[in-house]
Amino acid sequence: MAPAAPAGQRIDKWLFFARVVKSRSLAQKLVQAGGVRINGDKTDNAARAVRPGDTLTIARRDEILVLKIVDPGERRGPASEAATLYEDLSPTREAIAEQKEAAKGKAAPGYQPSARPPTKKERRAHERLRWDGA
């Protein structure tokens, strides 16, 4: 018989064990609010299982964490133990600043700056386009 695949661990439990959040209830709220992606897929289910090899993208306050799960963990231990549960793939602050600086001078594709402000008719047409899809 082939060995069974590991069942995995709840995402909220893993976030708590890895010290990404302070409590398990905060981990549940983070997941339910849509702040966590597992392998690029949005999830709002705090009971969703994660396994070693999964990549988590976590939107937390003003930063984005990209963590690859190395070990599921068995308890919430000290920070040194929690750091062994994942591999940090997050972009550095310097890399993010460089990307923002490079994009600063570029205009959005299709954007044509105008020498004059839009007319009332143009503003209303823009508002219709903007709010009809919502």
Side-chain angles (χ1 to χ4, degrees), residues 13-128:
K13 239 177 147 173
W14 189 87
L15 291 170
F16 177 62
F17 289 169
R19 292 183 169 263
V20 175
V21 291
K22 287 186 176 184
S23 69
R24 185 131 167 235
S25 62
L26 287 176
Q28 288 174 341
K29 288 178 185 176
L30 177 66
V31 174
Q32 290 170 350
V36 179
R37 289 178 179 250
I38 301 173
N39 296 325
D41 298 328
K42 284 184 181 179
T43 185
D44 60 354
N45 183 1
R48 172 119 180 243
V50 291
R51 295 168 182 76
D54 286 347
T55 303
L56 303 179
T57 306
I58 304 163
R60 194 176 70 166
R61 290 187 221 119
D62 60 342
E63 65 181 344
I64 295 177
L65 299 174
V66 181
L67 306 175
K68 183 176 180 182
I69 298 176
V70 176
D71 186 35
E74 297 178 11
R75 67 185 186 112
R76 181 178 169 96
S80 58
E81 183 180 314
T84 64
L85 301 180
Y86 59 88
E87 179 183 339
D88 192 0
L89 305 174
S90 303
T92 62
R93 292 187 188 270
E94 292 80 25
I96 293 171
E98 287 174 11
Q99 287 176 350
K100 285 183 180 179
E101 191 63 37
K104 196 179 257 186
K106 297 179 184 175
Y111 175 73
Q112 298 294 327
S114 176
R116 62 171 177 77
T119 64
K120 187 174 188 178
K121 183 177 179 181
E122 292 168 341
R123 279 196 319 270
R124 287 185 174 167
H126 176 72
E127 288 296 317
R128 275 193 303 276

